[in-house]
Amino acid sequence: MSDRYDAVVVGGGPAGATAAILLTQAGWSVAVVERKVFPRRKVCGEFISATSLPVLRRLGVADLFMASAGPPVERVGLFVGNAEIVAAMPGAAPGGDGWGRALGREELDRVLLERAAAIGAEVWQPWTVTGLTSEAGGSLCRIENESDRSTRELRADIVIAAHGSWEPGKLPTRPQWRPAGPNDLLGFKAHFVGSDLAPGLMPLLAFPGGYGGMVETNAGRVSLSCCVRRVQVERSRREAGSASAAEAVMAHIERACLGVRRALARAERQGAWLSAGPIRPGIRGFGLDRVFLVGNAAGEAHPVVAEGISMAMQSSGILCEWLIQARAVAGSDAALEAVRRAYGAAWRRAFARRLRVAAMVANLAMRPSACAALRPLLQVFPSFLTAAARWSGKVERAGSGVLELSVPR
């Protein structure tokens, strides 16, 4: 059996749901293929910058987000060794949206995908895209049901790959398998209740071989997420004896960061640890032919700057603006190639600096000698933390620029 759509979106997370909502609002017929059943937990820092609040309003979910999310994050911090350095989070421009907040992925993903379905997008869940091939005037997606293994074929003028970047797969848009390496960054995450983390504070955790962050999210929970080099994970497991990898990493972080020990001294973990990776930051590309990449599939920064969700949603917003404009001009291959060029240029303008800043901060945070050298300076001038947060994208809104496509005739 076959179904026809204007667009098929592969992945129902923040990037995919954002694209589905925006295109459906513009009158497109859209299918979203998501292999997981929601609500689902996911390794993620869960923070959304104030720069993404205009996107949430466009999607029609801003009120739900503001009612459910944790408190405004008004301060940024650094927990390193025995030091707890705190500075103001840069506010938005005058008339802007103030500060960002955090919302658990279980709630955020559900709200976004339900919104897409409510306005007319067809959600295939739990289904997996098992094949993607080009054909005249579009693409053919073969999908398989995760429950009963039944199959369908979806045809679309364009495909938007929003499936992330951590899991390798057979699709041409997914990363290829690579052998494990000692410097691979592995992600871990857990929620805690009863924490003493100061309200409105989001600290960066700097420790040997990795980095992390903490933030208060919905329902009074504190989310702790971190990235740790594989070699450090193995070293921590040896030091901890028979402990699991996540528990060994947590013990390593607590030994290295007094601020974490204080914040979680009376807290209890809620649910099991999650792990994922390897995480490989960088720009991957923007697609080929009638397939476009958004979110982590296009590129990602080191999670150290807590911009992952914001970049995912904003990249979808940029792409959809260009796609909608291209359809008004002409839905030809030439118009879509013009979209890809414009989208790629806009993506780099919006996010390339975030990638550079994130790489710099991540490399400093993972090096004890660098942190020791910088700590006295930051204690005297904590405003450097405010500046780093500004450089990482906490103030500037990402936009596509002037919508003028150069379409060959």
Side-chain angles (χ1 to χ4, degrees):
M1 301 181 66
S2 178
D3 297 86
R4 182 83 193 189
Y5 302 90
D6 294 324
V8 168
V9 180
V10 183
T18 296
I21 294 170
L22 293 175
L23 294 180
T24 302
Q25 287 174 338
W28 293 42
S29 61
V30 179
V32 183
V33 184
E34 169 55 52
R35 69 186 182 90
K36 295 289 187 179
V37 175
F38 289 0
R40 55 98 183 262
R41 300 178 66 211
K42 190 174 179 64
V43 175
C44 175
E46 301 186 333
F47 175 75
I48 299 181
S49 294
T51 56
S52 289
L53 293 179
V55 179
L56 293 172
R57 281 195 288 270
R58 287 176 58 195
L59 302 179
V61 299
D63 290 343
L64 285 172
F65 173 79
M66 298 297 282
S68 302
V73 177
E74 302 179 6
R75 294 178 297 162
V76 63
L78 173 66
F79 289 174
V80 54
N82 293 328
E84 300 176 41
I85 306 168
V86 176
M89 178 72 80
D97 292 289
W99 294 274
R101 300 186 179 199
L103 181 62
R105 287 294 297 271
E106 307 97 316
E107 183 70 8
L108 177 67
D109 292 4
R110 179 190 63 80
V111 165
L112 288 172
L113 199 55
E114 286 183 356
R115 170 63 176 166
I119 64 173
E122 186 167 359
V123 177
W124 295 79
Q125 185 183 33
W127 290 74
T128 299
V129 177
T130 58
L132 178 61
T133 55
S134 297
E135 58 181 21
S139 296
L140 171 64
C141 297
R142 297 177 180 85
I143 64 174
E144 180 178 88
N145 188 283
E146 289 288 316
S147 300
D148 60 18
R149 300 303 171 187
S150 59
T151 61
R152 296 288 288 267
E153 291 183 346
L154 309 182
R155 285 181 163 83
D157 294 341
I158 66 165
V159 172
I160 298 177
H163 46 54
S165 65
W166 295 358
E167 297 180 12
K170 297 180 180 179
L171 297 184
T173 56
R174 282 195 174 276
Q176 299 301 306
W177 180 86
R178 297 182 188 177
N183 289 323
D184 287 345
L185 278 174
L186 306 181
F188 299 89
K189 169 187 162 182
H191 284 128
F192 295 85
V193 293
S195 167
D196 291 320
L197 182 69
L201 173 64
M202 184 170 67
L204 165 64
L205 317 178
F207 52 88
Y211 58 80
M214 301 173 69
V215 67
E216 183 177 348
T217 180
N218 55 304
R221 304 178 302 175
V222 164
S223 173
L224 186 151
S225 55
C226 60
C227 292
V228 189
R229 294 200 185 280
R230 190 186 301 275
V231 64
Q232 181 60 57
V233 173
E234 295 170 353
R235 185 180 299 124
S236 298
R237 292 194 70 175
R238 290 194 298 270
E239 293 172 352
S242 61
S244 70
E247 290 170 346
V249 165
M250 187 64 200
H252 173 62
I253 295 172
E254 289 183 321
R255 285 194 300 270
C257 299
L258 174 62
V260 176
R261 296 199 300 274
R262 287 179 172 174
L264 300 181
R266 300 186 297 170
E268 295 183 1
R269 192 179 75 239
Q270 184 183 69
W273 278 95
L274 301 180
S275 61
I279 300 165
R280 296 189 172 97
I283 300 175
R284 296 181 179 84
F286 307 105
L288 184 67
D289 297 329
R290 288 175 173 259
V291 179
F292 296 86
L293 276 62
V294 295
N296 286 359
E300 63 184 312
H302 275 272
V304 69
V305 295
E307 282 292 298
I309 300 176
S310 293
M311 286 178 59
M313 298 178 67
Q314 291 172 22
S315 68
S316 287
I318 293 171
L319 173 62
C320 289
E321 287 185 39
W322 287 112
L323 287 173
I324 293 167
Q325 173 73 359
R327 194 174 189 185
V329 176
S332 64
D333 289 342
L336 292 176
E337 185 55 37
V339 165
R340 192 182 328 281
R341 291 194 301 269
Y343 166 54
W347 195 102
R348 293 175 187 276
R349 286 196 302 271
F351 306 126
R353 187 177 68 182
R354 298 189 205 188
L355 268 67
R356 292 193 296 268
V357 171
M360 178 186 69
V361 174
N363 285 317
L364 290 173
M366 290 188 284
R367 299 174 184 270
S369 59
C371 287
L374 285 174
R375 189 169 69 183
L377 178 65
L378 293 175
Q379 287 174 319
V380 176
F381 300 105
S383 58
F384 278 121
L385 293 178
T386 304
R390 179 178 294 108
W391 297 333
S392 71
K394 299 296 186 292
V395 175
E396 297 177 6
R397 297 178 183 177
S400 59
V402 180
L403 298 182
E404 293 182 358
L405 288 176
S406 177
V407 181
R409 295 185 181 276

